[in-house]
Every structure is written in C-alpha cells, then in structure tokens.
Amino acid sequence: MRFRVGEDHSFYGLERDRLLALAFGILLFVAFFGLTETATRLAVTFHPPFTYSSPGEAYFWLGHAFLLFPGACLIGYGLSPLLAPLLKRLWNRAENLTGGEQAAALIVGCLLFASLARILHSLVMFDFPFTDDEYATQFGGQVLAMGKLSVPAPQPYEAFSKLFIYLKAGMITSFDWPGVLAAWAIAEFTGLGPWVFALAAAIPAICLAIILGRRLSPGYGLVAGALFLFSPMAFALSTTTHAHLLSRPTIS
C-alpha cells in the first residue's frame, strides 16, 4: 500500500471510489450535527407525564437512520484499506495470546473501562446524580452507611423532592431496590463513591469477552467487549450511577 497520489489517482492508498465514499460519509455526519442549526424541532425534552414523547425525538432518530448510519458505513468502506491491516494484526495478536496474557489483558481492559466511566462521570455529570432515582438511592446509601434505616425528615419537607422517598412518622428513607442502596452504602462507607458503579459498568464487557473467547476464540471475545464498550446505550449509561449499572453485571 503506497501512501501517495499515483497514476491510478489513489491518495494515501485509497482509490477514487473509497475517497468519494469517505467524503460523502463525512458530509452526512456534518449534516447530522448541523441539524441543531437547521432543524429547530430537533430538541429533545423530558418532562411529566412519563408518557410524554418529545416531537424532536422523531427527527433525532430519523437523523440516525438516514444520516449517521449510512455515513458510518461509507466512512468504514472508505477507510477499510487503511484499517484492515491494523485490525488483522490486532486479531492475530489476540488469537495468539497465552493464558496468562489473556488474564492480564482482561484485568487491564476492566481497569481501562472503569477509568473511562469514572472520568466521564466526573467530566460530564460533574460527579452529581443525573436522575431522581439516583438521588434517592445515594441518599438511601448514605443513611445505611450511618448504620440507620431512616433519618428525621428535613424541614420544611415540602421543599424537597419526594420521588422514590418513603416517609413515615416523620422519618424518611429511600424507597428503592435494596441492592442499589447497599452499593451506595459501600461507596459511602469506603469512600470509593462513583468508582463502585464504574467498576460495575466494566464487568459486563469483560464477561462478554470471557464468554465469547471460550465459546469461539479470543479474537471474538475482543470484538464482543469492544462492541459493548462502544454501544451508545452502554457507553452513555456507564457515565452515570444508575441502578442499571448494577443489573448488567448481575445478568452477565
């Protein structure tokens, strides 16, 4: 592969059709991210009731279907001559790992995934809970970490959110799943904080890599872990301290 303009009009090893695919794919991506300037109804909002559907969601998902997805396919096709040799070497390296090297790779991968989730929680969420149930479970964990099941309700109580909160005889606690409360209690007691949820976010990717690696081969395990890592839903939720992060490793 020669990285130059040649008589066949290739550029950096890419033929004309792949260059056109790459350019058009980038154009589709630019068009999608420019929708916020050209499509005023693209905004997605969340408010009660829970059955409310924001009109902007239709435009958002249509943009994914007709702009991002084909754009990604075109970019992948355009860059395939450059990426294929690198991916092939990575695949061969994964397939030839010894048992000890596979274990070390899994540990390093788990730590990297957890660190990424923790960093994003700090940079994107500013280390704050994002949803009402996150606030409630953190509060419940703090109560458990104090060695109590409930605490006196703050006054004036009407000024505080009551979602997922249980009040009885002037005492309040979190009305959420005990497992999540226990995780937050451990996070508070040990001082690990969101690290508990970051580690929980990394476990499913490692489990997938182990399962596919044993059933098929280490290369497939690597692909499975990477697909989970870059899954939009898994990637986004991994930046939070939501109970979903605890259910994923339990299922895995």
Side-chain angles (χ1 to χ4, degrees), residues 25-38 42 63 67-68:
I26 294 174
L27 179 63
L28 292 178
F29 263 67
V30 172
F32 175 82
F33 289 104
L35 286 176
T36 54
E37 302 297 330
T38 59
L42 186 66
L67 294 175
L68 280 188

Side-chain angles (χ1 to χ4, degrees), residues 105-239:
L106 289 172
I107 294 173
V108 172
C110 183
L111 293 177
L112 288 176
F113 193 119
S115 299
L116 178 62
R118 183 65 186 90
I119 291 171
L120 290 175
H121 182 68
S122 176
L123 295 178
V124 178
M125 303 298 180
F126 297 102
D127 279 341
F128 285 105
F130 181 67
T131 61
D132 292 315
D133 53 338
E134 283 184 82
Y135 276 102
T137 52
Q138 182 179 19
F139 167 71
Q142 291 169 340
V143 173
L144 289 179
M146 295 168 58
K148 301 179 180 180
L149 295 178
S150 60
V151 294
Q155 299 298 327
Y157 184 62
E158 290 72 17
F160 295 87
S161 172
K162 302 175 182 61
L163 289 174
F164 307 103
I165 295 297
Y166 178 71
L167 171 67
K168 184 178 181 181
M171 305 293 286
I172 62 171
T173 188
S174 175
F175 193 71
D176 215 304
W177 299 104
V180 191
L181 302 183
W184 261 118
I186 294 172
E188 293 288 334
F189 186 78
T190 61
L192 291 174
W195 271 109
V196 172
F197 293 85
L199 290 171
I203 292 175
I206 303 305
C207 289
L208 282 173
I210 294 174
I211 294 171
L212 269 295
R214 289 183 176 180
R215 285 183 173 271
L216 299 176
S217 71
Y220 285 101
L222 176 63
V223 172
L227 287 177
F228 182 88
L229 171 62
F230 292 106
S231 166
M233 182 64 73
F235 189 85
L237 284 175
S238 295
T239 67

